[in-house]
Short mmCIF file of all heavy atoms in Angstrom, two decimals:
data_model
loop_
_atom_site.label_atom_id
_atom_site.label_comp_id
_atom_site.label_asym_id
_atom_site.label_seq_id
_atom_site.Cartn_x
_atom_site.Cartn_y
_atom_site.Cartn_z
N MET A 1 12.45 9.39 -14.39
CA MET A 1 11.18 8.71 -14.16
C MET A 1 11.37 7.63 -13.09
O MET A 1 12.34 6.89 -13.10
CB MET A 1 10.70 8.09 -15.47
CG MET A 1 9.37 7.43 -15.36
SD MET A 1 8.74 7.06 -17.00
CE MET A 1 7.04 7.15 -16.66
N ARG A 2 10.43 7.58 -12.16
CA ARG A 2 10.52 6.61 -11.06
C ARG A 2 10.10 5.23 -11.54
O ARG A 2 9.21 5.09 -12.38
CB ARG A 2 9.62 7.04 -9.91
CG ARG A 2 10.11 8.32 -9.26
CD ARG A 2 9.20 8.72 -8.15
NE ARG A 2 7.83 8.81 -8.66
CZ ARG A 2 6.93 9.64 -8.23
NH1 ARG A 2 7.18 10.44 -7.27
NH2 ARG A 2 5.72 9.66 -8.74
N PRO A 3 10.72 4.20 -10.96
CA PRO A 3 10.34 2.82 -11.32
C PRO A 3 8.90 2.52 -10.92
O PRO A 3 8.37 3.08 -9.96
CB PRO A 3 11.31 1.95 -10.51
CG PRO A 3 12.35 2.87 -9.98
CD PRO A 3 11.80 4.25 -10.00
N LEU A 4 8.29 1.60 -11.65
CA LEU A 4 6.89 1.23 -11.40
C LEU A 4 6.69 0.72 -9.97
O LEU A 4 5.70 1.05 -9.33
CB LEU A 4 6.44 0.18 -12.42
CG LEU A 4 4.98 -0.24 -12.36
CD1 LEU A 4 4.04 0.95 -12.50
CD2 LEU A 4 4.70 -1.27 -13.45
N ALA A 5 7.63 -0.07 -9.47
CA ALA A 5 7.50 -0.60 -8.11
C ALA A 5 7.42 0.54 -7.09
O ALA A 5 6.65 0.48 -6.13
CB ALA A 5 8.67 -1.52 -7.78
N GLN A 6 8.20 1.59 -7.29
CA GLN A 6 8.17 2.73 -6.38
C GLN A 6 6.84 3.47 -6.48
O GLN A 6 6.27 3.88 -5.47
CB GLN A 6 9.32 3.68 -6.68
CG GLN A 6 9.38 4.87 -5.75
CD GLN A 6 10.52 5.82 -6.06
OE1 GLN A 6 11.34 5.57 -6.94
NE2 GLN A 6 10.56 6.92 -5.35
N LEU A 7 6.34 3.64 -7.70
CA LEU A 7 5.03 4.30 -7.88
C LEU A 7 3.93 3.50 -7.19
O LEU A 7 3.03 4.09 -6.57
CB LEU A 7 4.72 4.45 -9.37
CG LEU A 7 5.59 5.44 -10.13
CD1 LEU A 7 5.29 5.35 -11.63
CD2 LEU A 7 5.38 6.85 -9.63
N ARG A 8 3.99 2.19 -7.29
CA ARG A 8 2.97 1.35 -6.64
C ARG A 8 3.04 1.49 -5.13
O ARG A 8 2.01 1.57 -4.46
CB ARG A 8 3.17 -0.11 -7.05
CG ARG A 8 2.73 -0.40 -8.46
CD ARG A 8 2.99 -1.83 -8.83
NE ARG A 8 2.45 -2.13 -10.15
CZ ARG A 8 2.93 -3.07 -10.93
NH1 ARG A 8 3.94 -3.82 -10.56
NH2 ARG A 8 2.37 -3.28 -12.12
N GLN A 9 4.25 1.51 -4.58
CA GLN A 9 4.43 1.67 -3.13
C GLN A 9 3.88 3.02 -2.67
O GLN A 9 3.16 3.10 -1.67
CB GLN A 9 5.90 1.53 -2.76
CG GLN A 9 6.21 1.68 -1.30
CD GLN A 9 5.70 0.54 -0.45
OE1 GLN A 9 5.44 -0.55 -0.93
NE2 GLN A 9 5.56 0.79 0.84
N GLU A 10 4.20 4.07 -3.39
CA GLU A 10 3.72 5.41 -3.04
C GLU A 10 2.19 5.48 -3.12
O GLU A 10 1.55 6.13 -2.30
CB GLU A 10 4.36 6.46 -3.95
CG GLU A 10 5.84 6.64 -3.69
CD GLU A 10 6.53 7.49 -4.74
OE1 GLU A 10 5.86 7.95 -5.70
OE2 GLU A 10 7.74 7.69 -4.61
N PHE A 11 1.63 4.81 -4.11
CA PHE A 11 0.18 4.78 -4.26
C PHE A 11 -0.47 4.12 -3.05
O PHE A 11 -1.42 4.65 -2.47
CB PHE A 11 -0.18 4.03 -5.55
CG PHE A 11 -1.64 3.67 -5.65
CD1 PHE A 11 -2.59 4.65 -5.90
CD2 PHE A 11 -2.05 2.37 -5.49
CE1 PHE A 11 -3.94 4.32 -6.00
CE2 PHE A 11 -3.40 2.03 -5.58
CZ PHE A 11 -4.34 3.01 -5.83
N LEU A 12 0.05 2.95 -2.64
CA LEU A 12 -0.51 2.25 -1.47
C LEU A 12 -0.39 3.10 -0.22
O LEU A 12 -1.31 3.14 0.60
CB LEU A 12 0.17 0.91 -1.25
CG LEU A 12 -0.36 -0.28 -2.02
CD1 LEU A 12 0.36 -1.55 -1.58
CD2 LEU A 12 -1.84 -0.45 -1.87
N GLU A 13 0.74 3.76 -0.05
CA GLU A 13 0.92 4.63 1.12
C GLU A 13 -0.10 5.75 1.12
O GLU A 13 -0.65 6.10 2.18
CB GLU A 13 2.35 5.18 1.14
CG GLU A 13 3.39 4.13 1.46
CD GLU A 13 4.82 4.62 1.25
OE1 GLU A 13 5.03 5.78 0.83
OE2 GLU A 13 5.74 3.81 1.50
N SER A 14 -0.37 6.31 -0.04
CA SER A 14 -1.36 7.37 -0.16
C SER A 14 -2.76 6.87 0.20
O SER A 14 -3.51 7.52 0.95
CB SER A 14 -1.35 7.92 -1.59
OG SER A 14 -2.43 8.78 -1.82
N ILE A 15 -3.13 5.72 -0.32
CA ILE A 15 -4.44 5.12 -0.02
C ILE A 15 -4.55 4.79 1.47
O ILE A 15 -5.58 5.04 2.10
CB ILE A 15 -4.69 3.87 -0.88
CG1 ILE A 15 -4.84 4.25 -2.36
CG2 ILE A 15 -5.89 3.07 -0.39
CD1 ILE A 15 -6.11 4.99 -2.69
N ALA A 16 -3.47 4.23 2.04
CA ALA A 16 -3.48 3.91 3.47
C ALA A 16 -3.68 5.17 4.29
O ALA A 16 -4.42 5.17 5.28
CB ALA A 16 -2.19 3.20 3.86
N GLY A 17 -3.04 6.26 3.88
CA GLY A 17 -3.20 7.52 4.59
C GLY A 17 -4.63 8.05 4.53
O GLY A 17 -5.13 8.62 5.50
N LYS A 18 -5.28 7.82 3.41
CA LYS A 18 -6.65 8.31 3.25
C LYS A 18 -7.66 7.46 4.01
O LYS A 18 -8.52 7.97 4.71
CB LYS A 18 -7.02 8.33 1.77
CG LYS A 18 -8.44 8.79 1.52
CD LYS A 18 -8.78 8.81 0.05
CE LYS A 18 -10.23 9.25 -0.12
NZ LYS A 18 -10.65 9.25 -1.51
N TYR A 19 -7.58 6.14 3.85
CA TYR A 19 -8.61 5.25 4.41
C TYR A 19 -8.27 4.70 5.79
O TYR A 19 -9.18 4.33 6.53
CB TYR A 19 -8.86 4.08 3.46
CG TYR A 19 -9.63 4.46 2.23
CD1 TYR A 19 -8.99 4.86 1.08
CD2 TYR A 19 -11.02 4.44 2.23
CE1 TYR A 19 -9.71 5.23 -0.06
CE2 TYR A 19 -11.75 4.80 1.11
CZ TYR A 19 -11.07 5.18 -0.04
OH TYR A 19 -11.78 5.55 -1.14
N LEU A 20 -6.99 4.62 6.11
CA LEU A 20 -6.59 3.95 7.36
C LEU A 20 -5.87 4.89 8.31
O LEU A 20 -5.16 4.44 9.20
CB LEU A 20 -5.69 2.74 7.03
CG LEU A 20 -6.32 1.69 6.13
CD1 LEU A 20 -5.27 0.67 5.71
CD2 LEU A 20 -7.47 1.00 6.82
N ASN A 21 -6.08 6.16 8.15
CA ASN A 21 -5.37 7.14 8.96
C ASN A 21 -5.62 6.95 10.46
O ASN A 21 -4.74 7.19 11.27
CB ASN A 21 -5.76 8.55 8.53
CG ASN A 21 -4.81 9.60 9.06
OD1 ASN A 21 -3.62 9.37 9.14
ND2 ASN A 21 -5.35 10.74 9.42
N ASP A 22 -6.82 6.53 10.83
CA ASP A 22 -7.15 6.35 12.24
C ASP A 22 -6.85 4.93 12.74
O ASP A 22 -7.07 4.63 13.90
CB ASP A 22 -8.63 6.65 12.48
CG ASP A 22 -8.95 8.11 12.24
OD1 ASP A 22 -8.04 8.95 12.40
OD2 ASP A 22 -10.10 8.41 11.89
N SER A 23 -6.35 4.08 11.87
CA SER A 23 -6.07 2.69 12.24
C SER A 23 -4.66 2.57 12.83
O SER A 23 -3.81 3.44 12.64
CB SER A 23 -6.16 1.79 11.00
OG SER A 23 -7.45 1.85 10.45
N SER A 24 -4.44 1.46 13.50
CA SER A 24 -3.13 1.22 14.09
C SER A 24 -2.09 1.01 12.99
O SER A 24 -2.42 0.70 11.85
CB SER A 24 -3.18 -0.01 14.99
OG SER A 24 -3.29 -1.18 14.20
N ARG A 25 -0.84 1.14 13.37
CA ARG A 25 0.25 0.91 12.41
C ARG A 25 0.26 -0.54 11.95
O ARG A 25 0.62 -0.84 10.81
CB ARG A 25 1.58 1.31 13.01
CG ARG A 25 1.59 2.81 13.27
CD ARG A 25 2.89 3.50 13.43
NE ARG A 25 3.98 3.42 12.53
CZ ARG A 25 4.05 3.99 11.32
NH1 ARG A 25 3.02 4.62 10.84
NH2 ARG A 25 5.14 3.92 10.61
N GLU A 26 -0.15 -1.44 12.82
CA GLU A 26 -0.18 -2.85 12.45
C GLU A 26 -1.23 -3.11 11.36
O GLU A 26 -0.98 -3.85 10.42
CB GLU A 26 -0.45 -3.74 13.66
CG GLU A 26 0.76 -3.91 14.55
CD GLU A 26 1.97 -4.45 13.82
OE1 GLU A 26 1.86 -5.51 13.17
OE2 GLU A 26 3.03 -3.81 13.88
N VAL A 27 -2.37 -2.48 11.49
CA VAL A 27 -3.41 -2.62 10.46
C VAL A 27 -2.90 -2.03 9.15
O VAL A 27 -3.10 -2.62 8.08
CB VAL A 27 -4.73 -1.96 10.91
CG1 VAL A 27 -5.72 -1.86 9.76
CG2 VAL A 27 -5.34 -2.72 12.08
N GLN A 28 -2.22 -0.92 9.21
CA GLN A 28 -1.66 -0.32 8.01
C GLN A 28 -0.61 -1.23 7.38
O GLN A 28 -0.57 -1.37 6.15
CB GLN A 28 -1.07 1.05 8.31
CG GLN A 28 -2.13 2.08 8.66
CD GLN A 28 -1.56 3.43 8.99
OE1 GLN A 28 -0.41 3.73 8.71
NE2 GLN A 28 -2.38 4.27 9.61
N ARG A 29 0.22 -1.86 8.20
CA ARG A 29 1.23 -2.80 7.66
C ARG A 29 0.57 -4.00 6.99
O ARG A 29 1.02 -4.45 5.94
CB ARG A 29 2.15 -3.30 8.79
CG ARG A 29 3.21 -2.31 9.20
CD ARG A 29 4.13 -2.85 10.26
NE ARG A 29 4.85 -4.02 9.77
CZ ARG A 29 5.19 -5.06 10.51
NH1 ARG A 29 4.88 -5.10 11.78
NH2 ARG A 29 5.85 -6.07 9.99
N VAL A 30 -0.49 -4.50 7.61
CA VAL A 30 -1.21 -5.63 7.00
C VAL A 30 -1.79 -5.21 5.65
O VAL A 30 -1.67 -5.93 4.67
CB VAL A 30 -2.31 -6.15 7.96
CG1 VAL A 30 -3.28 -7.08 7.24
CG2 VAL A 30 -1.67 -6.87 9.14
N PHE A 31 -2.39 -4.02 5.60
CA PHE A 31 -2.92 -3.52 4.33
C PHE A 31 -1.82 -3.41 3.28
O PHE A 31 -1.98 -3.87 2.15
CB PHE A 31 -3.58 -2.15 4.54
CG PHE A 31 -3.90 -1.44 3.26
CD1 PHE A 31 -5.00 -1.80 2.49
CD2 PHE A 31 -3.08 -0.40 2.80
CE1 PHE A 31 -5.28 -1.16 1.29
CE2 PHE A 31 -3.36 0.25 1.62
CZ PHE A 31 -4.46 -0.14 0.85
N MET A 32 -0.72 -2.79 3.64
CA MET A 32 0.38 -2.58 2.70
C MET A 32 0.93 -3.91 2.19
O MET A 32 1.34 -4.02 1.03
CB MET A 32 1.50 -1.77 3.36
CG MET A 32 1.11 -0.36 3.75
SD MET A 32 0.82 0.73 2.36
CE MET A 32 2.46 0.85 1.69
N THR A 33 0.91 -4.93 3.03
CA THR A 33 1.43 -6.24 2.63
C THR A 33 0.40 -7.01 1.81
O THR A 33 0.69 -7.52 0.74
CB THR A 33 1.83 -7.05 3.88
OG1 THR A 33 2.83 -6.29 4.59
CG2 THR A 33 2.40 -8.40 3.50
N ARG A 34 -0.84 -7.10 2.33
CA ARG A 34 -1.87 -7.89 1.64
C ARG A 34 -2.17 -7.34 0.24
O ARG A 34 -2.40 -8.09 -0.70
CB ARG A 34 -3.15 -7.89 2.49
CG ARG A 34 -4.41 -8.44 1.82
CD ARG A 34 -4.39 -9.93 1.60
NE ARG A 34 -3.73 -10.25 0.36
CZ ARG A 34 -3.33 -11.46 -0.03
NH1 ARG A 34 -3.51 -12.50 0.73
NH2 ARG A 34 -2.72 -11.66 -1.15
N PHE A 35 -2.17 -6.03 0.10
CA PHE A 35 -2.61 -5.43 -1.15
C PHE A 35 -1.47 -4.90 -2.02
O PHE A 35 -1.72 -4.21 -3.00
CB PHE A 35 -3.68 -4.37 -0.88
CG PHE A 35 -4.91 -5.00 -0.32
CD1 PHE A 35 -5.16 -4.98 1.03
CD2 PHE A 35 -5.78 -5.70 -1.14
CE1 PHE A 35 -6.27 -5.61 1.56
CE2 PHE A 35 -6.90 -6.34 -0.62
CZ PHE A 35 -7.14 -6.29 0.73
N ALA A 36 -0.24 -5.26 -1.66
CA ALA A 36 0.87 -4.96 -2.56
C ALA A 36 0.62 -5.69 -3.87
O ALA A 36 0.15 -6.83 -3.88
CB ALA A 36 2.20 -5.40 -1.94
N TYR A 37 0.92 -5.03 -4.96
CA TYR A 37 0.58 -5.56 -6.28
C TYR A 37 1.10 -6.99 -6.49
O TYR A 37 0.39 -7.84 -7.01
CB TYR A 37 1.15 -4.63 -7.36
CG TYR A 37 0.71 -5.01 -8.74
CD1 TYR A 37 -0.53 -4.61 -9.22
CD2 TYR A 37 1.53 -5.76 -9.57
CE1 TYR A 37 -0.96 -4.95 -10.49
CE2 TYR A 37 1.12 -6.09 -10.85
CZ TYR A 37 -0.12 -5.69 -11.30
OH TYR A 37 -0.54 -6.04 -12.56
N ASP A 38 2.31 -7.25 -6.05
CA ASP A 38 2.92 -8.57 -6.27
C ASP A 38 2.41 -9.65 -5.33
O ASP A 38 2.77 -10.81 -5.48
CB ASP A 38 4.45 -8.47 -6.14
CG ASP A 38 5.05 -7.60 -7.24
OD1 ASP A 38 4.44 -7.53 -8.34
OD2 ASP A 38 6.11 -7.00 -7.00
N ASN A 39 1.57 -9.28 -4.38
CA ASN A 39 1.07 -10.26 -3.40
C ASN A 39 -0.34 -10.75 -3.70
O ASN A 39 -0.94 -11.43 -2.87
CB ASN A 39 1.11 -9.66 -1.99
CG ASN A 39 2.52 -9.50 -1.50
OD1 ASN A 39 3.46 -10.08 -2.04
ND2 ASN A 39 2.70 -8.69 -0.47
N GLN A 40 -0.86 -10.45 -4.84
CA GLN A 40 -2.25 -10.78 -5.14
C GLN A 40 -2.57 -12.26 -4.92
O GLN A 40 -3.60 -12.60 -4.37
CB GLN A 40 -2.61 -10.40 -6.57
CG GLN A 40 -4.04 -10.77 -6.93
CD GLN A 40 -4.41 -10.38 -8.35
OE1 GLN A 40 -3.58 -9.92 -9.11
NE2 GLN A 40 -5.65 -10.57 -8.70
N PHE A 41 -1.69 -13.13 -5.35
CA PHE A 41 -1.98 -14.56 -5.30
C PHE A 41 -1.33 -15.27 -4.12
O PHE A 41 -1.40 -16.49 -4.02
CB PHE A 41 -1.58 -15.22 -6.62
CG PHE A 41 -2.35 -14.65 -7.78
CD1 PHE A 41 -1.72 -13.84 -8.70
CD2 PHE A 41 -3.71 -14.90 -7.92
CE1 PHE A 41 -2.43 -13.30 -9.77
CE2 PHE A 41 -4.43 -14.36 -8.98
CZ PHE A 41 -3.78 -13.56 -9.91
#
């Protein structure tokens, strides 16, 4: 079984691929950082 942190990372990558596929890599990096589970606050 994969660790929860890895599942969360894979989930964000999947969402980024769906919604931000046409966006720049920088926008995708900002999304992945801002909305990482541990970065909420």
Side-chain angles (χ1 to χ4, degrees):
M1 183 168 209
R2 294 179 305 212
L4 184 57
Q6 182 180 356
L7 291 172
R8 286 177 175 153
Q9 179 70 20
E10 291 170 0
F11 167 73
L12 274 185
E13 289 170 359
S14 170
I15 292 290
K18 178 180 178 182
Y19 286 91
L20 301 171
N21 195 37
D22 294 333
S23 300
S24 72
R25 295 200 52 73
E26 284 304 306
V27 169
Q28 292 179 16
R29 282 183 61 214
V30 166
F31 168 77
M32 296 291 293
T33 302
R34 169 70 275 167
F35 295 99
Y37 187 82
D38 295 332
N39 290 344
Q40 178 179 5
F41 299 108

